[in-house]
Amino acid sequence: MAEIDRIIHAPARLRIMATLIALSPGTEIDFRTLGTALELTDGNLGAHLQTLEEAGYIKLAKSFVDRKPRTHLSATTKGRARFEEHVAALRAICGV
Amino acid sequence: MEAPKSPSISPEEARASLAEIDRIILHTRRTIGHGAPSAIIILWGFIWVVGFASQQFFPPFSGRIWLFLDLVGVPGSFLLGAWRRNAPVKRPHSGKVGLSWLILFAFAVIWMLALGPWDLLRRPELAFYGSVMNRKFAVFWATVPMFAYILMGLWLDRFFIYLGTLVTLATVGGYLFIHHYFFLWMALVGGGSLIGGGIFIKKFWR
């Protein structure tokens, strides 16, 4: 039976993962865009991303665009699987 | 790191989480659609307006006009897609999406060249304004990309299903019932729907 994932369940991380899951596999989103979309400060977003990265749910890729550092992130296969499991658990609780 | 699991949550909380997930997924997909797709749809809307209007009002020149418009539209669509590569979202398959459209376009061209009764169309009595054959080709060229929109709508957003279906129905309806002003109908209703759809995405998908 699917179980609630404590890491994903935190509201901000749930929103981060939902955003990344909405993108097709391998698609990366810019750090700043994600923060703006979810109305999270850089510090707050960074802390949540670190938790998700340490859990292996997301992957960070750093690059330079016009000599400025940019961070892109995407959901890993493991992250996608855990998210699906989390959603299945939520549905089971709701009886959907 | 292995995730600790199974906090207990109420059905209301679970329902709220599911609603939030749905909202964010829809918002994210629409934000993506807000970029290149909307600009490309608007571009083709204008191409339809000019191309079909030329078939209505300047039939002898419409073939060359359509050729020019396609030569602008196809690379223009690729440029708009490439422009978005510097966008906040980087897609590994964006090249494949463009390639899929190019293959579809080539597929339609090949079938039109293979199946078109070109020898018949060379006869003066068939080459007149508003001929059935020209209208059939117009229906073909209008509905092929709309079918692709409908397919796109299955994985991106239902809006594309509505837009593709609307334009397809308008095209078939015009073909069946509006004979003499069919191309004008396509310019205004077909092209107008694409422009309107693109503007709608640009305005509301943020």
Side-chain angles (χ1 to χ4, degrees):
Chain A
M1 189 182 157
E3 290 181 87
I4 293 293
D5 188 305
R6 192 186 297 272
I7 291 176
I8 295 175
H9 184 59
R13 292 198 287 272
L14 179 84
R15 294 163 68 209
I16 292 169
M17 286 303 292
T19 303
L20 298 180
I21 294 298
L23 307 170
S24 54
T27 299
E28 299 174 336
I29 190 167
D30 178 62
F31 175 91
R32 191 142 297 198
T33 305
L34 184 67
T36 306
L38 299 179
E39 295 175 341
L40 294 171
T41 62
D42 286 359
N44 197 1
L45 178 62
H48 287 301
L49 292 181
Q50 190 180 350
T51 304
L52 289 167
E53 190 186 24
E54 283 171 1
Y57 291 4
I58 65 166
K59 193 172 65 180
L60 301 184
K62 294 181 190 298
S63 62
F64 284 86
V65 177
D66 297 331
R67 295 183 184 176
K68 289 175 189 162
R70 276 180 85 169
T71 302
H72 283 86
L73 45 135
S74 58
T76 61
T77 308
K78 179 184 175 186
R80 286 178 178 274
R82 286 288 161 83
F83 186 82
E84 292 303 323
E85 195 183 329
H86 182 76
V87 169
L90 291 174
R91 288 199 176 123
I93 291 169
C94 294
V96 179
Chain B
M1 189 175 100
E2 202 54 40
K5 288 184 172 180
S6 295
S8 61
I9 62 168
S10 66
E12 288 72 28
E13 204 181 344
R15 208 166 287 123
S17 291
L18 286 171
E20 181 68 353
I21 289 167
D22 287 343
R23 188 190 69 77
I24 287 178
I25 287 177
L26 183 65
H27 175 75
T28 304
R29 290 186 175 159
R30 287 186 165 182
T31 302
I32 296 168
H34 175 260
S38 64
I40 292 170
I41 290 171
I42 292 171
L43 170 69
W44 282 97
F46 279 111
I47 286 175
W48 278 30
V49 169
V50 176
F52 285 121
S54 76
Q55 278 188 277
Q56 181 74 51
F57 298 112
F58 311 105
F61 306 106
S62 63
R64 267 167 279 179
I65 290 172
W66 266 117
L67 182 65
F68 170 77
L69 291 171
D70 288 337
L71 288 174
V72 170
V74 173
S77 302
F78 274 87
L79 281 176
L80 286 169
W83 166 64
R84 292 296 296 178
R85 287 211 171 159
N86 294 326
V89 173
K90 294 201 303 189
R91 278 173 283 186
H93 305 303
S94 59
K96 287 183 182 173
V97 173
L99 187 63
S100 301
W101 277 98
L102 199 62
I103 289 170
L104 181 75
F105 189 76
F107 175 83
V109 168
I110 289 166
W111 275 115
M112 197 189 76
L113 291 175
L115 300 178
W118 303 106
D119 49 337
L120 285 176
L121 283 179
R122 285 194 196 97
R123 293 184 189 172
E125 68 270 25
L126 284 178
F128 62 92
Y129 153 78
S131 77
V132 174
M133 279 304 151
N134 282 340
R135 280 193 284 129
K136 281 180 190 277
F137 286 142
V139 169
F140 176 72
W141 278 109
T143 53
V144 165
M146 290 308 108
F147 182 66
Y149 276 1
I150 292 169
L151 293 180
M152 238 168 73
L154 293 176
W155 54 268
L156 190 57
D157 193 283
R158 279 187 200 160
F159 178 79
F160 287 104
I161 298 177
Y162 302 145
L163 182 64
T165 305
L166 173 77
V167 176
T168 300
L169 290 177
T171 303
V172 174
Y175 172 73
L176 292 175
F177 302 113
I178 305 173
H179 296 176
H180 295 299
Y181 295 99
F182 172 69
F183 296 118
L184 184 60
W185 167 265
M186 286 304 296
L188 297 178
V189 179
S193 297
L194 290 180
I195 293 169
I199 290 171
F200 180 87
I201 291 171
K202 242 184 178 15
K203 194 170 169 62
F204 294 105
W205 288 15
R206 286 178 182 276

